[in-house]
Short mmCIF file of all heavy atoms in Angstrom, two decimals:
data_model
loop_
_atom_site.label_atom_id
_atom_site.label_comp_id
_atom_site.label_asym_id
_atom_site.label_seq_id
_atom_site.Cartn_x
_atom_site.Cartn_y
_atom_site.Cartn_z
N THR S 221 74.88 103.27 84.96
CA THR S 221 73.72 102.95 84.16
C THR S 221 73.16 104.06 83.30
O THR S 221 72.69 103.95 82.16
CB THR S 221 72.68 102.44 85.19
OG1 THR S 221 72.02 101.25 84.55
CG2 THR S 221 71.66 103.45 85.65
N MET S 222 73.29 105.24 83.93
CA MET S 222 72.80 106.45 83.23
C MET S 222 73.59 106.65 81.99
O MET S 222 73.12 106.97 80.79
CB MET S 222 72.86 107.74 84.02
CG MET S 222 71.67 107.72 85.08
SD MET S 222 71.89 109.08 86.27
CE MET S 222 71.58 110.48 85.29
N VAL S 223 74.99 106.53 82.05
CA VAL S 223 75.74 106.78 80.84
C VAL S 223 75.59 105.70 79.83
O VAL S 223 75.47 105.85 78.62
CB VAL S 223 77.25 106.87 81.21
CG1 VAL S 223 78.14 106.66 79.98
CG2 VAL S 223 77.54 108.17 82.04
N TYR S 224 75.34 104.45 80.19
CA TYR S 224 75.17 103.32 79.34
C TYR S 224 73.79 103.67 78.62
O TYR S 224 73.63 103.39 77.44
CB TYR S 224 74.98 101.96 80.11
CG TYR S 224 74.93 100.92 79.18
CD1 TYR S 224 75.95 100.23 78.53
CD2 TYR S 224 73.61 100.41 78.76
CE1 TYR S 224 75.80 99.28 77.66
CE2 TYR S 224 73.53 99.38 77.96
CZ TYR S 224 74.56 98.86 77.33
OH TYR S 224 74.52 97.80 76.48
N GLY S 225 72.74 104.14 79.44
CA GLY S 225 71.38 104.40 78.82
C GLY S 225 71.50 105.34 77.62
O GLY S 225 70.73 105.07 76.78
N ILE S 226 72.37 106.22 77.74
CA ILE S 226 72.38 107.22 76.64
C ILE S 226 73.35 107.13 75.52
O ILE S 226 73.22 107.39 74.40
CB ILE S 226 72.52 108.72 77.30
CG1 ILE S 226 71.81 109.70 76.46
CG2 ILE S 226 73.91 109.06 77.71
CD1 ILE S 226 71.48 111.00 77.44
N LEU S 227 74.54 106.43 76.04
CA LEU S 227 75.70 106.31 75.07
C LEU S 227 75.94 104.81 74.78
O LEU S 227 76.77 104.61 73.84
CB LEU S 227 76.95 106.84 75.49
CG LEU S 227 77.05 108.39 75.57
CD1 LEU S 227 78.36 108.85 76.07
CD2 LEU S 227 76.93 108.96 74.10
N LEU S 228 75.36 103.93 75.40
CA LEU S 228 75.54 102.45 75.20
C LEU S 228 77.05 102.07 75.50
O LEU S 228 77.56 101.33 74.82
CB LEU S 228 75.15 101.95 73.82
CG LEU S 228 73.57 102.04 73.59
CD1 LEU S 228 73.29 101.48 72.18
CD2 LEU S 228 72.81 101.32 74.63
N MET S 229 77.80 102.87 76.37
CA MET S 229 79.14 102.57 76.70
C MET S 229 79.30 102.40 78.37
O MET S 229 78.52 103.01 78.96
CB MET S 229 80.03 103.62 76.09
CG MET S 229 80.08 104.87 76.98
SD MET S 229 81.48 105.87 76.62
CE MET S 229 82.67 105.38 77.71
N ILE S 230 80.17 101.50 78.63
CA ILE S 230 80.55 101.38 80.15
C ILE S 230 81.67 102.26 80.32
O ILE S 230 82.73 102.25 79.85
CB ILE S 230 81.06 99.94 80.35
CG1 ILE S 230 80.04 98.95 79.70
CG2 ILE S 230 81.21 99.80 81.77
CD1 ILE S 230 78.76 98.84 80.41
N ASN S 231 81.35 103.37 81.17
CA ASN S 231 82.21 104.40 81.55
C ASN S 231 83.26 103.85 82.58
O ASN S 231 82.94 104.15 83.88
CB ASN S 231 81.53 105.69 81.94
CG ASN S 231 82.51 106.75 82.33
OD1 ASN S 231 83.73 106.68 82.09
ND2 ASN S 231 81.92 107.74 83.10
N PHE S 232 84.28 103.19 82.33
CA PHE S 232 85.07 102.57 83.33
C PHE S 232 85.81 103.61 84.15
O PHE S 232 86.33 103.18 85.20
CB PHE S 232 86.08 101.52 82.85
CG PHE S 232 85.42 100.18 82.71
CD1 PHE S 232 85.26 99.56 81.33
CD2 PHE S 232 84.96 99.56 83.66
CE1 PHE S 232 84.64 98.43 81.14
CE2 PHE S 232 84.33 98.28 83.59
CZ PHE S 232 84.14 97.63 82.35
N ALA S 233 85.84 104.85 83.71
CA ALA S 233 86.58 105.84 84.51
C ALA S 233 85.77 106.28 85.68
O ALA S 233 86.14 107.10 86.55
CB ALA S 233 86.91 107.08 83.61
N HIS S 234 84.44 105.83 85.81
CA HIS S 234 83.57 106.23 86.85
C HIS S 234 84.03 105.95 88.24
O HIS S 234 83.92 106.62 89.10
CB HIS S 234 82.19 105.63 86.59
CG HIS S 234 81.15 106.17 87.48
ND1 HIS S 234 80.86 107.55 87.47
CD2 HIS S 234 80.28 105.63 88.35
CE1 HIS S 234 79.81 107.89 88.33
NE2 HIS S 234 79.49 106.68 88.82
N SER S 235 84.81 104.65 88.24
CA SER S 235 85.34 104.28 89.67
C SER S 235 86.36 105.29 90.08
O SER S 235 86.58 105.49 91.29
CB SER S 235 85.91 102.91 89.63
OG SER S 235 86.80 102.92 88.55
N GLU S 236 86.98 105.99 89.12
CA GLU S 236 87.93 106.91 89.46
C GLU S 236 87.32 108.22 89.76
O GLU S 236 87.93 109.15 90.71
CB GLU S 236 88.95 107.18 88.33
CG GLU S 236 90.26 106.32 88.42
CD GLU S 236 90.02 104.90 88.90
OE1 GLU S 236 89.53 104.19 87.99
OE2 GLU S 236 90.39 104.62 90.01
N ILE S 237 86.26 108.55 89.21
CA ILE S 237 85.45 109.76 89.69
C ILE S 237 85.07 109.63 91.17
O ILE S 237 85.21 110.61 92.04
CB ILE S 237 84.06 109.84 88.92
CG1 ILE S 237 84.32 110.14 87.51
CG2 ILE S 237 83.19 111.03 89.51
CD1 ILE S 237 84.95 111.56 87.09
N PHE S 238 84.71 108.44 91.57
CA PHE S 238 84.31 108.07 92.93
C PHE S 238 85.63 108.34 93.84
O PHE S 238 85.51 109.01 94.82
CB PHE S 238 84.05 106.58 92.90
CG PHE S 238 83.84 105.99 94.31
CD1 PHE S 238 82.68 105.92 94.97
CD2 PHE S 238 84.97 105.20 94.86
CE1 PHE S 238 82.53 105.24 96.10
CE2 PHE S 238 84.77 104.54 96.02
CZ PHE S 238 83.59 104.57 96.74
N MET S 239 86.88 107.87 93.42
CA MET S 239 87.99 108.14 94.15
C MET S 239 88.37 109.68 94.33
O MET S 239 88.80 110.12 95.40
CB MET S 239 89.09 107.33 93.48
CG MET S 239 90.44 107.39 94.09
SD MET S 239 91.50 108.67 93.31
CE MET S 239 91.77 108.03 91.73
N VAL S 240 88.25 110.40 93.12
CA VAL S 240 88.56 111.78 93.11
C VAL S 240 87.62 112.59 93.99
O VAL S 240 88.06 113.41 94.79
CB VAL S 240 88.50 112.36 91.56
CG1 VAL S 240 88.68 113.87 91.75
CG2 VAL S 240 89.75 111.77 90.85
N GLY S 241 86.44 112.16 94.14
CA GLY S 241 85.46 112.79 95.01
C GLY S 241 85.83 112.64 96.40
O GLY S 241 85.77 113.63 97.21
N ALA S 242 86.35 111.34 96.75
CA ALA S 242 86.80 111.26 98.08
C ALA S 242 88.09 112.16 98.37
O ALA S 242 88.14 112.65 99.54
CB ALA S 242 87.15 109.73 98.33
N PHE S 243 88.92 112.26 97.41
CA PHE S 243 90.17 113.13 97.71
C PHE S 243 89.88 114.52 97.80
O PHE S 243 90.36 115.21 98.61
CB PHE S 243 91.12 112.71 96.57
CG PHE S 243 92.15 111.74 96.94
CD1 PHE S 243 91.70 110.36 96.62
CD2 PHE S 243 93.34 111.88 97.57
CE1 PHE S 243 92.56 109.29 96.99
CE2 PHE S 243 94.27 110.83 97.88
CZ PHE S 243 93.86 109.51 97.61
N VAL S 244 88.99 115.07 96.83
CA VAL S 244 88.71 116.44 96.96
C VAL S 244 87.94 116.74 98.32
O VAL S 244 88.21 117.69 99.02
CB VAL S 244 87.57 116.71 95.86
CG1 VAL S 244 87.15 118.25 95.82
CG2 VAL S 244 88.45 116.65 94.57
N GLY S 245 86.99 115.83 98.64
CA GLY S 245 86.38 115.96 99.91
C GLY S 245 87.28 116.14 101.15
O GLY S 245 87.10 116.87 102.08
N CYS S 246 88.29 115.15 101.06
CA CYS S 246 89.43 115.16 102.16
C CYS S 246 90.08 116.51 102.18
O CYS S 246 90.47 116.94 103.22
CB CYS S 246 90.22 114.01 101.89
SG CYS S 246 91.45 113.58 103.11
N GLY S 247 90.39 116.99 101.04
CA GLY S 247 91.07 118.35 100.87
C GLY S 247 90.27 119.31 101.51
O GLY S 247 90.64 120.19 102.37
N ALA S 248 88.99 119.38 101.11
CA ALA S 248 88.04 120.39 101.69
C ALA S 248 87.93 120.24 103.31
O ALA S 248 87.64 121.29 103.95
CB ALA S 248 86.70 120.32 101.03
N ALA S 249 88.01 119.04 103.80
CA ALA S 249 87.97 118.86 105.16
C ALA S 249 88.96 119.51 106.03
O ALA S 249 88.98 119.54 107.11
CB ALA S 249 87.84 117.34 105.51
N ALA S 250 89.97 120.00 105.35
CA ALA S 250 91.12 120.77 105.94
C ALA S 250 90.48 122.00 106.67
O ALA S 250 91.00 122.53 107.57
CB ALA S 250 92.24 121.18 105.04
N PHE S 251 89.44 122.50 106.26
CA PHE S 251 88.74 123.60 106.83
C PHE S 251 87.93 123.21 108.03
O PHE S 251 87.47 124.14 108.84
CB PHE S 251 87.78 124.25 105.97
CG PHE S 251 88.39 124.96 104.64
CD1 PHE S 251 88.47 124.28 103.51
CD2 PHE S 251 88.87 126.22 104.97
CE1 PHE S 251 89.06 124.91 102.41
CE2 PHE S 251 89.53 126.90 103.78
CZ PHE S 251 89.59 126.29 102.63
N SER S 252 88.03 121.99 108.37
CA SER S 252 87.28 121.53 109.69
C SER S 252 88.03 122.18 110.87
O SER S 252 89.27 122.25 111.01
CB SER S 252 87.52 119.98 109.81
OG SER S 252 86.69 119.52 110.70
#
Side-chain angles (χ1 to χ4, degrees):
Chain S
T221 224
M222 285 173 69
V223 167
Y224 186 87
I226 209 159
L227 283 182
L228 294 182
M229 73 165 273
I230 311 289
N231 178 18
F232 276 116
H234 192 56
S235 56
E236 264 45 70
I237 296 285
F238 170 89
M239 177 269 294
V240 170
F243 271 86
V244 173
C246 190
F251 290 98
S252 190

